[in-house]
Amino acid sequence: MKEIENIKNSLNMKKNDESNNIIILNNNIEGIEQKLESIKTEIEGIRNSIKINETTKAVLNGEGIKILQKIDDYNTKIKENKINIGKSRHNQTIGEKRLRELLATSNKVDANLNMLINLEKQYEGYNKSVKTLMQHVDNKRISNLKGQCYILGEIIKVEKKFETAMEIALGSSLSNIITEDENGAKILIEYLKKHSLGRATFLPLNTVKGRIVELGNNIKSMSGFIGIASEILNYDSKFKGIIDYALGRTLICDNMDNAIKIARTLNYRQKIVTLSGEVINPGGALTGGSIYNKSNNVIGRKREIEELKIRFDVLNKEVKEKNILLKNLNEQIKELDEENLNLRDYVHFENIEKTKINEKINSLKDDTIKLKNSLNENEKI
């Protein structure tokens, strides 16, 4: 019995040991299962982290591409601005050269204009007696003179092509003085005598009444005939009697050959003057040859003054336009230079941003490699 009891006790002890082993195994299995679950969770977390890294990297790459596009756009704009600056500076050089030319021409025209105006004011070109007398009139030195007086040469205007003919046709009559009436002429004559200033011819408006020669159509239709001298002038109508007196019986013709033909037809009764200054006098006497080229002919002087005034105004207008153009070009160049400075700053800023993005991408790459290595290690378990 005792032996059986010992066997029973031995079996019970073995049973208890097996139960303990089973409990230990179950505990080990449960621990392993928990560890496996933890590894699965960690693997899932690693995979999610890798996915997030890849997504973030893709976003950063997209931002990097946008930044590169911005930099390219800025650099393209800088190049365009440089080209435009070059064009503006080229136009500026041309404009400055043209401005210098305009200023030089304008100064020359202004000098010529002032010279002619001074000649006009000083009555240069007229005979000495008339010149001195008119200066005294202008200076109010003849106190008892009533009304205005004029010089014949200064009251007429004529086309440039007729100036030589008119100068020759009038001759010394250019210096004749026109007065309001005989009393004005008398006062001036007495002044000339009193001050020993010489002699002059006076044409009172109220007494001098010229007549225009009557010509038939056979004369007017002849080759080279231009007109009666008094009819191809411009003047104030109040001087008509004076002009008719001085030029109403003088004909203007184009050249000597035609003038001779017309003179023959008229039996040499009228004075005929050609455009180049030859004269066929009444009676048949001919005058001609070279003409002293005066730089300040009295008839053409007013025309030259008007032409120079117009030219001076045109030049000044162009000078102002060039100054405005050059000012605009300077401002344009300045604006483009400033814009390029700003664009270069933008490029510098974007390059810094691109460097930051590259650093983030490289950091993500390194982190992803570590995560993948960790994933591989966990997957081997």
Side-chain angles (χ1 to χ4, degrees):
M1 284 295 290
K2 189 176 181 179
E3 185 177 350
I4 292 171
E5 190 65 31
N6 288 335
I7 292 170
K8 183 180 178 182
N9 288 333
S10 177
L11 289 171
N12 284 330
M13 287 177 66
K14 288 181 179 180
K15 181 180 177 183
N16 289 332
D17 290 339
E18 290 299 326
S19 294
N20 289 332
N21 287 334
I22 290 171
I23 290 170
I24 290 169
L25 287 172
N26 285 334
N27 288 334
N28 288 338
I29 290 170
E30 185 178 349
I32 291 169
E33 287 177 349
Q34 288 177 352
K35 188 174 181 180
L36 286 173
E37 190 63 33
S38 175
I39 291 171
K40 285 180 181 180
T41 301
E42 186 177 349
I43 288 172
E44 186 64 27
I46 292 170
R47 285 175 177 167
N48 286 335
S49 295
I50 292 172
K51 187 176 180 181
I52 290 170
N53 283 355
E54 294 296 334
T55 302
T56 304
K57 189 168 71 173
V59 171
L60 290 172
N61 280 327
E63 291 179 1
I65 291 170
K66 289 179 181 179
I67 288 173
L68 289 175
Q69 184 61 51
K70 279 185 180 181
I71 292 171
D72 187 58
D73 291 342
Y74 291 148
N75 286 327
T76 299
K77 185 61 178 175
I78 289 171
K79 289 178 182 178
E80 289 177 1
N81 286 348
K82 284 183 178 179
I83 291 171
N84 289 330
I85 288 171
K87 289 179 180 178
S88 294
R89 282 181 175 153
H90 177 69
N91 291 333
Q92 191 179 45
T93 300
I94 294 173
E96 287 172 347
K97 181 182 177 183
R98 178 57 182 160
L99 180 60
R100 288 193 296 272
E101 292 171 352
L102 286 170
L103 289 172
T105 304
S106 178
N107 290 336
K108 185 177 179 181
V109 169
D110 188 40
N112 289 337
L113 177 59
N114 288 326
M115 179 193 71
L116 289 176
I117 289 173
N118 287 330
L119 290 176
E120 188 81 356
K121 287 179 178 179
Q122 297 299 319
Y123 298 100
E124 292 294 339
Y126 298 106
N127 70 49
K128 184 178 179 181
S129 298
V130 171
K131 174 183 173 181
T132 304
L133 182 63
M134 291 303 295
Q135 287 175 352
H136 288 194
V137 170
D138 289 345
N139 293 329
K140 309 296 183 183
R141 294 176 64 175
I142 309 174
S143 59
N144 59 337
L145 177 66
K146 307 297 181 184
Q148 292 182 301
C149 58
Y150 316 86
I151 301 178
L152 179 57
E154 68 178 3
I155 68 166
I156 60 178
K157 290 183 179 180
V158 63
E159 292 182 51
K160 186 177 181 179
K161 62 182 179 180
F162 298 135
E163 286 176 0
T164 298
M166 288 302 165
E167 286 249 5
I168 298 298
L170 285 168
S172 61
S173 298
L174 273 171
S175 294
N176 288 356
I177 297 175
I178 301 167
T179 59
E180 296 283 352
D181 51 35
E182 310 102 304
N183 188 54
K186 179 184 174 183
I187 291 170
L188 293 175
I189 289 171
E190 290 174 350
Y191 188 86
L192 286 171
K193 289 171 65 177
K194 181 179 179 180
H195 295 87
S196 301
L197 295 177
R199 298 170 62 83
T201 299
F202 296 88
L203 306 173
L205 281 169
N206 66 327
T207 61
V208 177
K209 307 293 179 184
R211 288 191 307 163
I212 298 177
V213 63
E214 294 183 5
L215 299 173
N217 290 330
N218 63 319
I219 299 299
K220 293 179 180 180
S221 62
M222 288 186 70
S223 178
F225 177 82
I226 293 173
I228 300 170
S230 62
E231 294 180 342
I232 58 177
L233 296 170
N234 292 313
Y235 55 89
D236 192 306
S237 60
K238 73 178 182 179
F239 298 116
K240 186 178 187 313
I242 303 292
I243 298 300
D244 288 345
Y245 168 81
L247 295 168
R249 304 189 67 79
T250 300
L251 310 184
I252 305 298
C253 187
D254 62 350
N255 59 50
M256 192 66 167
D257 291 335
N258 288 329
I260 291 172
K261 292 176 184 177
I262 294 171
R264 284 174 181 167
T265 303
L266 290 169
N267 293 319
Y268 298 97
R269 292 192 302 271
Q270 305 299 331
K271 181 179 180 180
I272 303 175
V273 182
T274 68
L275 293 179
S276 56
E278 291 84 16
V279 182
I280 300 179
N281 296 285
L286 275 66
T287 303
S290 62
I291 298 174
Y292 175 59
N293 185 25
K294 292 186 289 183
S295 61
N296 56 327
N297 71 82
V298 294
I299 291 181
R301 190 159 60 204
K302 285 187 181 294
R303 171 190 54 79
E304 289 181 51
I305 288 172
E306 292 304 315
E307 289 177 352
L308 287 173
K309 283 181 178 178
I310 292 171
R311 191 178 179 199
F312 185 70
D313 289 342
V314 169
L315 287 168
N316 274 352
K317 182 181 178 182
E318 193 172 350
V319 166
K320 289 178 182 177
E321 290 173 351
K322 287 298 175 193
N323 278 324
I324 291 171
L325 173 64
L326 289 172
K327 181 181 177 182
N328 290 338
L329 286 171
N330 280 330
E331 290 176 354
Q332 184 180 18
I333 290 169
K334 183 179 178 182
E335 288 173 3
L336 290 172
D337 277 333
E338 288 177 355
E339 185 178 5
N340 274 0
L341 285 173
N342 291 332
L343 287 170
R344 289 188 184 97
D345 287 340
Y346 297 155
V347 170
H348 179 68
F349 173 78
E350 295 299 340
N351 278 324
I352 291 173
E353 291 300 306
K354 185 66 175 69
T355 299
K356 290 178 180 179
I357 287 174
N358 287 339
E359 289 174 353
K360 289 178 181 179
I361 290 172
N362 290 333
S363 177
L364 287 170
K365 285 180 179 178
D366 292 341
D367 187 52
T368 299
I369 290 171
K370 291 177 182 178
L371 288 171
K372 285 182 177 180
N373 289 336
S374 177
L375 179 63
N376 290 333
E377 291 297 325
N378 284 321
E379 286 178 341
K380 288 179 182 179
I381 295 174

